[in-house]
Amino acid sequence: MVIPFASSLRYSYSRVLSSAVHSAQAFPVSSALTLSRRRLPDARFPTTAEMSTAADSGSSCRPAPPVAKKVEHRMELFGDVRTDNYYWLRDDSRSDPEVLAYLRQENEYSESVMSGTKQFEDQLFAEIRGRVKEDDISAPVRRGPYYYYKRTLTGKEYVQHCRRLVPNAEASPTVYDDMPTGPEASPEHVILDENVKAQEHSFYQIGAFKVSPNNNLVAYAEDTKGDEIYTVHVIDVETGTPIGKPLANVTSDLEWAGDKTLVYTTIDEIHRPYKVWLHKLGTDQSSDTCLYHEKDDTFSLELHASESKQFLFVSSESKTTTVALYLNVSKPEEGLKILMPRVDGVDLSFSHRGNHFFIRRRTDEFFNSELLACPVENLSETILLISHRKSVKIQDLQLFRDHLVVYERENGLQKVTVYDLPAVGEPLKGLGSGRCVEFIDPVYSVDQLESQFSSTVLRFSYSSLKTPPSVYAYDMKRGVSVLKKVEMVLGGFDSSNYITERKWATAPDGTPIPLSIVYRRNLVKLDGSDPLLLYGYGSYE
């Protein structure tokens, strides 16, 4: 998801403190971490009393809060009658004059109430923006002979999607590869400039940007209303020339099935992804093939490609149950086939490498999941690779030609383990001991990033309570991590000024509770004399 830069800052500044503690294990240090200690030289933050006085000073001329009218609307379902007096406010078209007029009244009242804090808002927003490096690029991702990346420009709210040729594309990738940017580097090619596209719309967001396997085409999903109903455009990468007609009223769940075919999903009247379609470039959308229709409205569809790019997977998911289907990219005319049938209470995720599908399976009995594999030609012959463990949760897996990477959580802390795999075509009987990736902080957050399937380089994102979002390349053979990019925080931020710790507290029932702590090295004494912001959060298991 791409959020306009200035808009995202306007939204986030008022939530900056809650965001800091809400993401306790993964908070990217930008501005919130240091707001209370490091302010702009001319900044004086008003007290709560001053803000309240300022707000109250205009109360005599403040308009009365709007009151929505009541219009009785009765709905009956399953023999139950429900009355919603405010149903008239539903306007899926976003065009009802009466609804829009009422929303304007609400906005005007809100602006009036908050008018006394306008100066403080602008001051705080300026400080946050002053800590963000606007002219920047993302860590380049190598796909075949190209580096792909996003560029942000000073004063611009949207990104540019760019690429450059890899100087020596025949050489195997290593953790030390860096994209040249000097005068002798290959020229930068801007594939798509969202700033230009956004000029035509009051709202603009790109939900998917997918490059074809041969690197000649790009399919991107565009939302110009904010309703998360997308239009998919296909363009020639070099010229920007549109290829065929756009696909209308689709989701941003989109994958290539070869160089001339797209697979996408559509939603029903309650915005549930319920159909999967196959589209051949150059044909009209009306002739697209429906690969799957999920008629049970308690299930929703998700689409993803295997790291090998040989298969597409469709998940039909409810809260605790998954139906797994797969499409052979080289034989799309065969349609979707069932990988694992629907069994109530069995949740699955899956991928592919060589002659095997790899499956993470969770049940009520094996609540932390187990890892299985099965031959592509014999789905009933499963091989147990990692058994269920009560103290370790398997969260995700990532496959390479020669390696398997498993993302887990133990004692509440994430861990990443790399396993060697036998050569493709050789029997897969089990896994060795594996190697754990080492991290620099006692508490942190790590997430997988796109990596080249045929390489020995694992890319992941890393952050902690004192470490800004960073991208690392990890050599899976040698066990070496190399920092590729760290998000720059302006305004004098220095991570060495902060200390993070992980401690444990014992609850009254004896349960150990992990505590993630961050504090300023030269200001906090940890003797009880300094104030503490304590935040507790428990959800999603």
Side-chain angles (χ1 to χ4, degrees):
M1 179 181 295
V2 179
I3 301 175
F5 173 74
S7 301
S8 64
L9 284 179
R10 283 289 182 187
Y11 172 76
S12 64
Y13 79 87
S14 62
R15 302 187 50 162
V16 70
L17 291 180
S18 63
S19 296
V21 291
H22 178 80
S23 303
Q25 301 235 1
F27 177 57
V29 179
S30 53
S31 43
L33 182 62
T34 56
L35 274 178
S36 62
R37 296 295 188 187
R38 303 175 67 87
R39 300 169 181 166
L40 292 180
D42 59 347
R44 191 188 77 81
F45 282 45
T47 65
T48 303
E50 290 172 332
M51 291 173 64
S52 178
T53 301
D56 290 341
S57 65
S59 60
S60 59
C61 57
R62 182 183 303 153
V67 178
K69 68 178 182 179
K70 294 183 178 181
V71 180
E72 183 175 325
H73 180 84
R74 292 167 59 86
M75 295 171 284
E76 183 173 352
L77 188 63
F78 305 122
D80 179 67
V81 178
R82 179 165 59 94
T83 300
D84 183 353
N85 292 326
Y86 301 101
Y87 189 85
W88 68 273
L89 284 168
R90 174 168 181 165
D91 176 26
D92 293 337
S93 68
R94 274 73 167 171
S95 61
D96 187 309
E98 190 173 17
V99 173
L100 294 176
Y102 177 74
L103 292 178
R104 279 191 288 268
Q105 293 178 39
E106 289 278 8
N107 288 337
E108 290 169 2
Y109 178 72
S110 175
E111 291 175 1
S112 175
V113 170
M114 298 299 294
S115 61
T117 64
K118 183 64 168 61
Q119 182 178 355
F120 172 64
E121 292 177 21
D122 293 342
Q123 181 181 337
L124 186 56
F125 175 76
E127 175 169 352
I128 293 176
R129 185 157 195 160
R131 294 185 182 276
V132 177
K133 178 175 170 55
E134 296 186 56
D135 186 5
D136 202 3
I137 67 170
S138 63
V141 177
R142 182 172 169 178
R143 300 188 191 118
Y146 294 97
Y147 286 116
Y148 290 85
Y149 56 96
K150 297 177 183 178
R151 178 179 293 282
T152 54
L153 304 173
T154 301
K156 299 292 185 179
E157 295 193 0
Y158 297 86
V159 303
Q160 294 178 330
H161 299 265
C162 310
R163 79 176 183 184
R164 290 179 189 263
L165 276 168
V166 175
N168 186 8
E170 292 76 23
S172 299
T174 75
V175 293
Y176 302 105
D177 290 345
D178 286 310
M179 182 182 73
T181 57
E184 296 183 0
S186 59
E188 176 180 89
H189 174 61
V190 179
I191 303 170
L192 183 72
D193 189 339
E194 293 186 21
N195 297 286
V196 175
K197 300 286 292 183
Q199 293 177 0
E200 307 168 14
H201 310 281
S202 58
F203 176 91
Y204 191 79
Q205 181 177 355
I206 286 185
F209 188 87
K210 302 284 186 175
V211 182
S212 63
N214 62 9
N215 292 284
N216 292 336
L217 304 175
V218 161
Y220 65 94
E222 176 182 79
D223 177 10
T224 59
K225 294 182 179 178
D227 55 7
E228 296 185 348
I229 298 176
Y230 293 84
T231 299
V232 172
H233 302 266
V234 180
I235 60 173
D236 181 281
V237 171
E238 288 297 325
T239 66
T241 303
I243 306 297
K245 295 180 180 179
L247 304 176
N249 299 316
V250 303
T251 74
S252 60
D253 215 358
L254 174 73
E255 295 289 350
W256 286 95
D259 295 316
K260 298 180 180 180
T261 305
L262 288 170
V263 177
Y264 63 92
T265 62
T266 55
I267 57 177
D268 61 12
E269 63 276 2
I270 60 172
H271 280 224
R272 175 182 68 98
Y274 79 126
K275 286 184 179 181
V276 181
W277 300 84
L278 185 137
H279 172 75
K280 295 183 178 180
L281 297 187
T283 65
D284 193 85
Q285 186 177 1
S286 61
S287 63
D288 289 355
T289 302
C290 182
L291 298 175
Y292 185 74
H293 179 188
E294 180 52 77
K295 298 180 180 180
D296 187 336
D297 61 9
T298 64
F299 283 77
S300 297
L301 301 180
E302 287 190 3
L303 175 69
H304 77 274
S306 66
E307 291 92 343
S308 67
K309 305 303 181 185
Q310 295 181 30
F311 290 89
L312 296 184
F313 295 102
V314 174
S315 304
S316 181
E317 303 175 344
S318 69
K319 291 290 184 181
T320 60
T321 305
T322 303
V323 183
L325 305 103
Y326 67 95
L327 177 75
N328 189 331
V329 170
S330 65
K331 303 175 182 178
E333 67 280 356
E334 293 183 358
L336 287 171
K337 298 180 181 180
I338 294 179
L339 175 57
M340 287 284 180
R342 179 175 302 182
V343 179
D344 188 46
V346 177
D347 181 34
L348 306 164
S349 64
F350 24 82
S351 194
H352 164 265
R353 175 261 189 191
N355 304 326
H356 292 85
F357 292 124
F358 287 68
I359 305 161
R360 181 197 59 80
R361 181 169 66 183
R362 189 206 65 80
T363 67
D364 288 341
E365 180 182 3
F366 300 143
F367 52 85
N368 275 338
S369 299
E370 58 183 351
L371 183 60
L372 310 169
C374 67
V376 172
E377 301 301 329
N378 186 1
L379 303 182
S380 61
E381 183 186 326
T382 58
I383 306 159
L384 180 62
L385 299 179
I386 300 178
S387 60
H388 174 260
R389 295 152 295 169
K390 292 185 177 180
S391 61
V392 182
K393 176 180 175 62
I394 300 175
Q395 293 187 302
D396 211 342
L397 61 140
Q398 189 172 4
L399 279 165
F400 294 80
R401 182 187 59 197
D402 300 319
H403 296 89
L404 165 67
V405 180
V406 181
Y407 295 80
E408 300 170 314
R409 191 178 289 273
E410 184 174 14
N411 290 324
L413 193 63
Q414 292 177 285
K415 59 185 293 188
V416 180
T417 307
V418 178
Y419 297 91
D420 294 333
L421 293 175
V424 172
E426 294 184 4
L428 178 63
K429 298 180 180 180
L431 299 176
S433 57
R435 174 193 285 129
C436 289
V437 180
E438 296 182 357
F439 301 108
I440 58 177
D441 296 298
V443 59
Y444 52 82
S445 177
V446 60
D447 292 289
Q448 63 174 284
L449 294 176
E450 179 184 342
S451 305
Q452 282 199 282
F453 174 75
S454 60
S455 77
T456 60
V457 178
L458 167 70
R459 298 174 73 254
F460 60 83
S461 65
Y462 176 90
S463 64
S464 77
L465 290 166
K466 72 167 192 173
T467 306
S470 309
V471 174
Y472 279 88
Y474 177 79
D475 188 322
M476 292 184 285
K477 282 189 173 181
R478 299 170 54 228
V480 175
S481 293
V482 176
L483 177 64
K484 309 306 292 184
K485 180 178 176 58
V486 59
E487 184 175 297
M488 183 178 293
V489 181
L490 305 181
F493 169 74
D494 183 351
S495 63
S496 66
N497 290 331
Y498 298 88
I499 296 176
T500 61
E501 298 182 19
R502 193 173 200 240
K503 295 183 178 296
W504 293 86
T506 303
D509 64 356
T511 302
I513 309 297
L515 303 176
S516 302
I517 303 172
V518 60
Y519 57 93
R520 183 72 179 264
R521 183 188 299 274
N522 61 341
L523 292 179
V524 177
K525 296 180 287 293
L526 294 185
D527 60 0
S529 62
D530 286 309
L532 166 73
L533 174 64
L534 178 64
Y535 184 83
Y537 183 78
S539 188
Y540 313 113
E541 302 178 275

